[in-house]
Amino acid sequence: MFEVECQRCGRCVSGADWLRAKQCCGGCGSSFVKGRYTGLSRKLSAAMKADCRLSSLSLYSELLPGNDLVKEVASEAGAVAIERWRCTEALVERASGKRVRIYAHRQDANPATGSFKDLAGASVAAGLKRHGVSRYCCASTGNIGVAFARFLRKAGILFTAFLPSESSKEQEAEIRAFGQRVFRARGNYAQAKKEAAAHAVKEGDLLAAGTTDPLRVEAKRTMAFEWKRLMPEAPTRYVQALSGGTGPIGIAKGMEDLAEAGLVHAATDVSLDLIQPSGCAPMVHSYHRASRAGFPSGWEQDFDVITQPQTSIMTLSTGVPDAYPVLAPLVRSTGGGFYAVEERLLAIVARWVAEQEQCRVGPAAAVAVAGLLKHQKTMLNDGDVVVVNVGEGVRRFPKFGIVVGDVCASSEHLEKQLADILEL
């Protein structure tokens, strides 16, 4: 069954004991723990043999904290395709001469709320229900709040979301539509986290554990399992727009589990390449500073804090990168990197993807694709197999869809715009 292992002192406790200890190690108080399972190799190897083209989290229920309850609340979360993007491959080859294969993990197709946060939402709901938790709260920049509202309602758990003051009315309304509670913070995401914490103390709600929460990380790691099960070749690079960091931490954990089961050569086989909008890129700046200094002792504890993020993409407006001390060493160990991209590029990139790959991406997913194209000369090697996380679709952000639709140009002109703007 599910246990957690403290990454500071090595103590192992049951998932129930971890929740009772307010999601911290009962020995040293650290909040950084990893999930552990009995029979991991056997269960994971069996799942790899499943005879289904698309699978939901239910396929991996024995490898998730909620166990059998995952099947009850998952609502097909994770049953999405992995598509090859040949037109984008050709664009990269014309621009840099590098021949790569690019696959899109279409998390925008999740049927519940249309983002890869559905994975975390379903897993958290199942895990909390399994252990009798009835009230839960968190701060959210948007997508995770909607996913929590959807799945926690199905699990019969009262949820309270604290959104930054500038969050969209659409996302607030969607959370309320599931019968859950929403409060707007008196400031940005950092302030929303403070207010959520105060609410948890006052009302006795369980507060979301944060970026390294195993209830979320364990769900995100199933993306790596699906690569192994569905892709015709092993990926070498993973590209994702970055906010808090649960996604790439989950990918790293998934690769660790695959390596432990003997299904991949090493946990570091896939490089983590993470993209932030230039107006809110604290991890990018911190990592590049450490790199220029030769990664001195303690470098991972030295990170920037942006008190007023200058980005219109609220889902990527995490100015206080709490996960950096955990995430940055993972990125370095895989040979990956942190990159920034300007928001002015996003509409053109999204229009290109819609026309050429028939995929309508949301603004954060456009950040991932734009970062891949802009930094291809330094990020990619000839022969790389790239997985891009399409973490959300445009239906979550109708205003962005309107902007993308207003980019009126022929396919040839679009490619020229991309070449000029991205300096390909």
Side-chain angles (χ1 to χ4, degrees):
M1 299 299 293
F2 175 66
E3 294 183 331
V4 295
E5 178 185 2
C6 178
Q7 297 303 289
R8 178 186 292 171
C9 70
R11 179 176 178 174
C12 286
V13 299
S14 69
D17 287 342
W18 173 73
L19 284 169
R20 281 192 287 267
K22 301 298 183 183
Q23 302 166 107
C24 292
C25 173
C28 68
S30 173
S31 62
F32 182 28
V33 298
K34 286 187 178 181
R36 298 295 182 215
Y37 303 83
T38 58
L40 170 71
S41 297
R42 174 180 54 81
K43 294 173 181 177
L44 191 49
S45 296
M48 293 297 106
K49 299 174 183 176
D51 186 19
C52 53
R53 178 59 189 153
L54 301 181
S55 72
S56 71
L57 283 177
S58 299
L59 177 63
Y60 304 106
S61 62
E62 293 188 33
L63 292 163
L64 289 168
N67 204 260
D68 56 308
L69 288 177
V70 171
K71 297 178 181 180
E72 180 180 324
V73 303
S75 300
E76 299 306 308
V80 299
I82 301 175
E83 301 173 346
R84 188 166 174 184
W85 279 5
R86 295 180 184 272
C87 293
T88 307
E89 293 173 4
L91 177 62
V92 169
E93 184 174 0
R94 288 194 294 274
S96 63
K98 296 176 181 178
R99 293 188 176 184
V100 300
R101 275 90 71 205
I102 298 174
Y103 293 85
H105 202 156
R106 292 290 306 277
Q107 295 292 335
D108 62 299
N110 272 297
T113 70
S115 86
F116 86 128
K117 304 297 186 180
D118 280 357
L119 299 171
S123 177
V124 167
L128 296 182
K129 183 174 183 179
R130 182 175 183 83
H131 294 292
V133 175
S134 61
R135 299 168 63 97
Y136 192 68
C137 69
C138 84
S140 169
T141 55
N143 282 348
I144 191 63
V146 173
F148 279 162
R150 165 68 173 80
F151 289 103
L152 290 171
R153 169 55 59 189
K154 189 169 185 179
I157 297 170
L158 176 65
F159 171 59
T160 304
F162 287 81
L163 304 181
S165 59
E166 296 181 358
S167 291
S168 72
K169 292 182 179 180
E170 291 86 354
Q171 290 184 319
E172 178 181 352
E174 194 166 1
I175 294 172
R176 293 188 188 281
F178 291 118
Q180 306 286 29
R181 301 190 301 181
V182 184
F183 294 98
R184 282 191 176 269
R186 296 182 297 275
N188 59 19
Y189 181 47
Q191 177 62 28
K193 291 170 75 172
K194 292 179 182 178
E195 294 184 20
H199 170 87
V201 172
K202 180 180 178 181
E203 301 295 333
D205 292 12
L206 182 67
L207 179 67
T211 306
T212 59
D213 179 1
L215 298 179
R216 295 167 59 185
V217 169
E218 297 300 299
K220 297 288 184 66
R221 88 196 205 283
T222 63
M223 291 191 291
F225 298 168
E226 287 291 88
W227 304 343
K228 177 63 180 177
R229 195 178 69 86
L230 295 178
M231 288 179 61
E233 53 190 337
T236 60
R237 312 201 79 88
Y238 171 69
V239 179
Q240 179 196 309
L242 178 65
S243 183
T246 302
I249 290 173
I251 294 300
K253 177 59 163 54
M255 292 299 295
E256 286 181 16
D257 288 350
L258 288 168
E260 182 178 334
L263 296 171
V264 299
H265 178 262
T268 54
D269 284 354
V270 177
S271 298
L272 302 174
D273 295 301
L274 309 176
I275 321 297
Q276 293 190 300
S278 56
C280 185
M283 295 203 205
V284 176
H285 301 319
S286 304
Y287 193 80
H288 288 185
R289 180 173 62 249
S291 178
R292 290 192 298 270
F295 296 103
S297 177
W299 65 272
E300 70 277 6
Q301 299 297 330
D302 177 23
F303 55 85
D304 291 357
V305 171
I306 298 178
T307 56
Q308 296 296 326
Q310 300 300 307
T311 176
S312 63
I313 310 171
M314 290 307 300
T315 53
L316 301 181
S317 63
T318 303
V320 183
D322 294 331
Y324 183 79
V326 174
L327 181 57
L330 288 176
V331 169
R332 187 185 179 200
S333 70
T334 65
F338 293 87
Y339 304 88
V341 69
E342 299 86 352
E343 289 185 39
R344 62 187 178 86
L345 311 178
L346 302 186
I348 292 174
V349 169
R351 180 62 182 266
W352 160 269
V353 172
E355 283 198 4
Q356 300 300 317
E357 308 294 1
Q358 292 75 58
C359 176
R360 299 181 68 221
V361 301
V367 165
V369 181
L372 169 67
L373 293 174
K374 180 177 178 62
H375 298 286
Q376 59 175 287
K377 293 180 181 178
T378 54
M379 180 190 300
L380 302 179
N381 298 312
D382 195 55
D384 266 335
V385 178
V386 183
V387 174
V388 180
N389 181 7
V390 181
E392 59 178 17
V394 76
R395 70 185 174 96
R396 295 212 47 73
F397 301 93
K399 292 180 181 178
F400 182 70
I402 294 171
V403 174
V404 173
D406 286 340
V407 178
C408 298
S410 66
S411 298
E412 293 78 9
H413 186 56
L414 270 176
E415 186 168 334
K416 185 178 186 301
Q417 284 184 305
L418 282 175
D420 290 343
I421 293 175
L422 298 174
E423 301 176 359
L424 301 181

